Amino acid sequence: MLTNNKNVLKWVDEMVALCKPANVVWIDGSEEQLKALREEAVSTGEMEELNSEKLPGCLLHRTDPTDVARVEDRTFICSNTKENAGPTNNWKDPEEMWAILEPMYDGVMDGKTMYVIPYSMGPIGSKMSKVGVEVTDSIYVVLNMDIMTRMGKDAFVHLGDTSNDFVRGLHAKADLDPEKRYICHFPEKNSICSINSGYGGNVLLGKKCFALRIASYQGKNEGWMAEHMLILGIENPQGEVKYICAAFPSACGKTNLAMLIPPEIYAKQGYKVWTVGDDIAWLRQGDDGRLWAINPENGFFGVAPGTNLKSNPNALHTTEKDTIFTNVVHNLDNDTVWWEGLDKNPPKHALDWKGNPWDGTTSTEKGAHPNSRFTAPARNCPCISKEFNNPQGVPISAIVFGGRRAKTAPLVYQSFDWDHGVFVGSIMASETTAAAAGAVGVVRRDPMAMLPFCGYHMGDYFAHWLEMGKKLGDKAPKIFNVNWFRTDDEGHFIWPGFGDNMRVLMWILDRCEGKADAVETAIGYEPKPEDINLEGLNIDLDTLKDLLTVDPQLWKEDADGIEAFYAKFGDKLPAKLREELNSLKDRLSK
Ligand code: GTP
Ligand code: SPV
Ligand code: MN
């Protein structure tokens, strides 16, 4: 045992009594212990070792083919009342849910080992950090949590001997039956239960379950925010760094933006980009009145397909050692990995993500799962910010929302003010991706990219955003919306994206510093086309003008969609947002 904390000991005793494992192992985070676990996972076939020269310390794992993404229809917010979960979450009464779960957990670890994982979300010792304890029967989970969190005995030191302020996470793989898969959150009890999955966001309970669903609820009660946001810093040639947070839905470009390589025109002047986080931000008002952000995570669980030396070299270099690859292609010739979009040379002699023989030169089937991922330590990232471990976090100048919209949303626009910015976030819509089970490419409303991750009533969540704006006053970050995904009539992306997105971020920072002009439109402020630097791109001013157009007809239709979406929230929709919608409609009909 690694702690004298009675609350921890009591809860772990209860979990042992319920799951009845053959052994209990407390994870101290030591290299010795982790090495033994890696060896054990390799010996049982749960993980495979990769080429020790090309990919030192790297492991490959394949999940069950029915268990490859988050399962939103099996995810529940079990608040004390249905009202508290709100219209956008699945809800079940906590006692009724426990009555379903308890028999499934009873004896589920028979003959197995239970691992007790203490971890800190956020730098150990930071006022903004929080402790969790996850019990699991999966070594894959332990090894991933080691990369994704500050895992081990220091987390217990941070918690102390008497505190009860830790999130309890119970995970069992059970028999991976999709019909019995449950990802349940009990916000009032600080606890999470996950069963019948072995995949990423369903089982690494520090990530979406704690750092977003439970933490968003805690943040509302404690006056801070937990958001599905990347955090990046842009350093100017004078060495000053300004920080931006951006919320995009799953698989819509957070990791890529967070690690972008500045285009030549900026690089040669001495601009640099630094990554603080790629998925989750915890935001709090600092003593100076500004909004400060930490990344509660310690690694990246990034989308593999499409990651290559051109699109995201920093991510690729991050995965060159000590990385776990899940559901990618195994190249048998040299024991390395491959995925669609890595390069133009798929391996001939390989296994696909299901472990079946696969010849990339002839196969018409995809070799890697579209939601295959890498789990890589932040310390490997060539552009990791020197503030990554700063317990204070970093001050935020701008908040950026965005999604995948083939039409409607322009390349970039700025909200008129904070409240209008909350409206802009609340009306976000995006095409669905492979990150969650279900149809791909369907446009749905995904406010602040938090639809699958808000742990309480989304009407109250909007009210909390408005409240934060009141507290921040004139120190509030400016709010913007971007869309890298507009397509032409043939369905091709018009904007080059990736590193070139910095051109848009530069206008955003210039706006924050009062250095750039704007054009007022019905939906917000847009750049003057000549204020987006196109030097070195083969995009002309007319194409840029196209990317910035606001089609009143499409927006009127969108406003009807917003109206219908807002109707779900009834009285809980803040009056301010209703006013914003009415003002938008007025402006559109002028
Ligand atoms: P989660 O980890 O699921 O929350 O996703 P994420 O938001 O971090 O998404 P990520 O950066 O991994 O991007 C997912 C997909 O979007 C990849 O296939 C990328 O290649 C693609 N993508 C990212 N940025 C751009 C861009 O600027 N333009 C285009 N066209 N595609 C992009
Ligand atoms: C997402 O789906 O937004 C992810 C991956 O970042 S997961 O951890 O599986 O949620
Ligand atoms: Mn995510």
Side-chain angles (χ1 to χ4, degrees):
M1 277 168 301
L2 297 170
T3 177
N4 293 316
N5 184 303
K6 292 213 169 51
N7 302 304
V8 173
L9 296 175
K10 177 168 174 280
W11 175 71
V12 172
D13 279 348
E14 285 165 16
M15 295 304 103
V16 171
L18 176 62
C19 301
K20 304 181 178 64
N23 308 295
V24 179
V25 171
W26 292 70
I27 299 297
D28 60 16
S30 67
E31 190 43 41
E32 204 183 354
Q33 190 184 43
L34 288 164
K35 186 166 175 281
L37 287 172
R38 285 186 205 109
E39 282 167 7
E40 185 179 338
V42 169
S43 75
T44 60
E46 183 181 354
M47 317 277 278
E48 285 170 72
E49 242 166 339
L50 294 162
N51 187 314
S52 62
E53 272 161 34
K54 292 186 154 65
L55 294 169
C58 293
L59 297 167
L60 171 68
H61 175 75
R62 283 187 285 269
T63 64
D64 188 89
T66 65
D67 185 26
V68 293
R70 287 183 294 102
V71 279
E72 295 181 0
D73 58 335
R74 314 282 322 166
T75 299
F76 290 81
I77 302 295
C78 304
S79 324
N80 287 342
T81 64
K82 186 172 182 357
E83 171 86 352
N84 287 348
T88 57
N89 283 311
N90 300 313
W91 176 84
K92 217 176 206 14
D93 175 78
E95 280 174 24
E96 275 175 45
M97 183 55 92
W98 188 241
I100 296 173
L101 294 174
E102 192 178 22
M104 294 205 288
Y105 283 114
D106 188 4
V108 74
M109 296 186 191
D110 181 31
K112 296 187 179 177
T113 299
M114 174 188 277
Y115 302 96
V116 182
I117 309 173
Y119 62 95
S120 169
M121 296 311 287
I124 301 256
S126 164
K127 274 198 302 198
M128 292 169 90
S129 298
K130 288 191 176 269
V131 170
V133 183
E134 175 167 355
V135 298
T136 177
D137 53 8
S138 159
I139 298 181
Y140 173 76
V141 168
V142 177
L143 298 178
N144 274 272
M145 288 293 280
D146 172 49
I147 298 171
M148 295 305 296
T149 73
R150 279 93 171 167
M151 181 183 88
K153 58 181 187 319
D154 289 351
F156 278 145
V157 175
H158 181 53
L159 181 67
D161 277 353
T162 54
S163 173
N164 196 22
D165 185 11
F166 66 96
V167 171
R168 295 137 169 85
L170 167 58
H171 167 247
K173 281 178 77 170
D175 50 15
L176 300 177
D177 181 349
E179 306 286 309
K180 294 189 186 146
R181 190 167 295 154
Y182 285 95
I183 319 296
C184 301
H185 307 71
F186 302 87
E188 290 97 344
K189 294 198 184 72
N190 252 357
S191 86
I192 304 158
C193 293
S194 162
I195 192 159
N196 277 305
S197 174
Y199 183 83
N202 297 333
V203 301
L204 309 178
L205 301 185
K207 195 172 177 54
K208 295 304 174 27
C209 300
F210 175 177
L212 286 179
R213 299 196 188 96
I214 298 285
S216 61
Y217 172 79
Q218 295 176 329
K220 179 191 164 266
N221 293 329
E222 298 165 9
W224 54 282
M225 308 201 285
E227 299 295 333
H228 193 201
M229 289 177 175
L230 67 92
I231 310 164
L232 66 75
I234 297 186
E235 180 177 336
N236 70 14
Q238 292 73 49
E240 296 153 348
V241 189
K242 296 273 191 265
Y243 295 91
I244 297 177
C245 280
F248 309 154
S250 303
C252 290
K254 289 183 300 303
T255 305
N256 279 272
L257 193 69
M259 299 183 187
L260 77 82
I261 303 274
E264 184 57 27
I265 45 152
Y266 295 116
K268 71 178 183 217
Q269 294 176 56
Y271 282 95
K272 295 188 178 109
V273 168
W274 302 107
T275 308
V276 182
D278 82 326
D279 197 46
I280 299 177
W282 285 359
L283 302 139
R284 222 179 250 273
Q285 186 173 28
D287 295 336
D288 63 358
R290 290 187 293 173
L291 189 65
W292 291 69
I294 62 161
N295 170 10
E297 302 193 281
N298 201 24
F300 309 114
F301 185 59
V303 176
T307 307
N308 61 53
L309 273 180
K310 200 160 162 272
S311 65
N312 194 348
N314 284 321
L316 206 59
H317 293 314
T318 306
T319 64
E320 281 165 356
K321 58 179 182 190
D322 304 331
T323 293
I324 296 171
F325 295 94
T326 301
N327 294 341
V328 299
V329 173
H330 187 184
N331 181 341
L332 296 171
D333 285 333
N334 59 7
D335 252 336
T336 59
V337 291
W338 192 85
W339 49 75
E340 278 66 25
L342 174 64
D343 56 38
K344 298 213 164 74
N345 307 303
K348 194 170 169 51
H349 181 216
L351 298 178
D352 69 6
W353 68 273
K354 292 180 186 162
N356 297 322
W358 185 79
D359 177 348
T361 63
T362 56
S363 180
T364 51
E365 302 262 300
K366 283 200 157 76
H369 188 276
N371 192 36
S372 54
R373 299 232 171 200
F374 53 79
T375 320
R379 62 167 186 274
N380 284 1
C381 181
C383 57
I384 196 72
S385 164
K386 66 177 192 316
E387 307 301 335
F388 178 73
N389 282 310
N390 187 335
Q392 313 294 330
V394 295
I396 300 303
S397 300
I399 290 175
V400 180
F401 295 120
R404 283 179 189 264
R405 296 292 309 260
K407 300 276 175 287
T408 323
L411 181 63
V412 58
Y413 67 101
Q414 181 185 1
S415 69
F416 295 121
D417 53 32
W418 179 275
D419 288 357
H420 179 238
V422 175
F423 171 75
V424 168
S426 79
I427 66 168
M428 268 171 68
S430 192
E431 294 157 22
T432 51
T433 65
V440 169
V442 184
V443 176
R444 69 169 184 185
R445 297 273 155 210
D446 188 351
M448 283 85 169
M450 283 290 278
L451 181 74
F453 307 120
C454 182
Y456 60 104
H457 196 299
M458 203 153 230
D460 291 334
Y461 169 81
F462 295 151
H464 183 45
W465 265 85
L466 293 168
E467 200 54 44
M468 288 297 294
K470 283 211 195 89
K471 281 204 299 192
L472 292 162
D474 60 7
K475 300 221 165 87
K478 304 277 185 277
I479 301 181
F480 299 79
N481 193 87
V482 299
N483 178 22
W484 317 136
F485 298 94
R486 268 224 203 174
T487 52
D488 60 19
D489 294 339
E490 280 90 53
H492 302 120
F493 296 121
I494 305 170
W495 179 248
F498 302 97
D500 289 311
N501 293 333
M502 181 160 171
R503 300 166 190 272
V504 173
L505 297 185
M506 294 302 284
W507 180 76
I508 286 176
L509 284 186
D510 281 348
R511 285 294 293 169
C512 294
E513 290 167 37
K515 289 197 218 147
D517 248 339
V519 185
E520 189 168 337
T521 75
I523 62 168
Y525 298 118
E526 284 206 336
K528 291 183 164 167
E530 58 274 20
D531 285 345
I532 301 279
N533 192 331
L534 295 179
E535 197 185 318
L537 271 188
N538 35 5
I539 284 213
D540 56 23
L541 212 56
D542 283 336
T543 310
L544 182 64
K545 283 181 189 160
D546 269 355
L547 284 165
L548 290 168
T549 49
V550 175
D551 180 333
Q553 195 45 44
L554 284 179
W555 273 89
K556 279 181 192 158
E557 285 163 26
D558 218 49
D560 293 338
I562 298 164
E563 182 90 54
F565 182 63
Y566 272 5
K568 285 190 182 187
F569 300 102
D571 303 346
K572 286 268 196 181
L573 184 80
K576 185 74 207 156
L577 295 188
R578 165 80 45 204
E579 280 168 34
E580 291 287 351
L581 176 57
N582 291 338
S583 312
L584 171 68
K585 285 185 176 167
D586 286 348
R587 291 192 302 267
L588 286 169
S589 54
K590 272 202 196 117

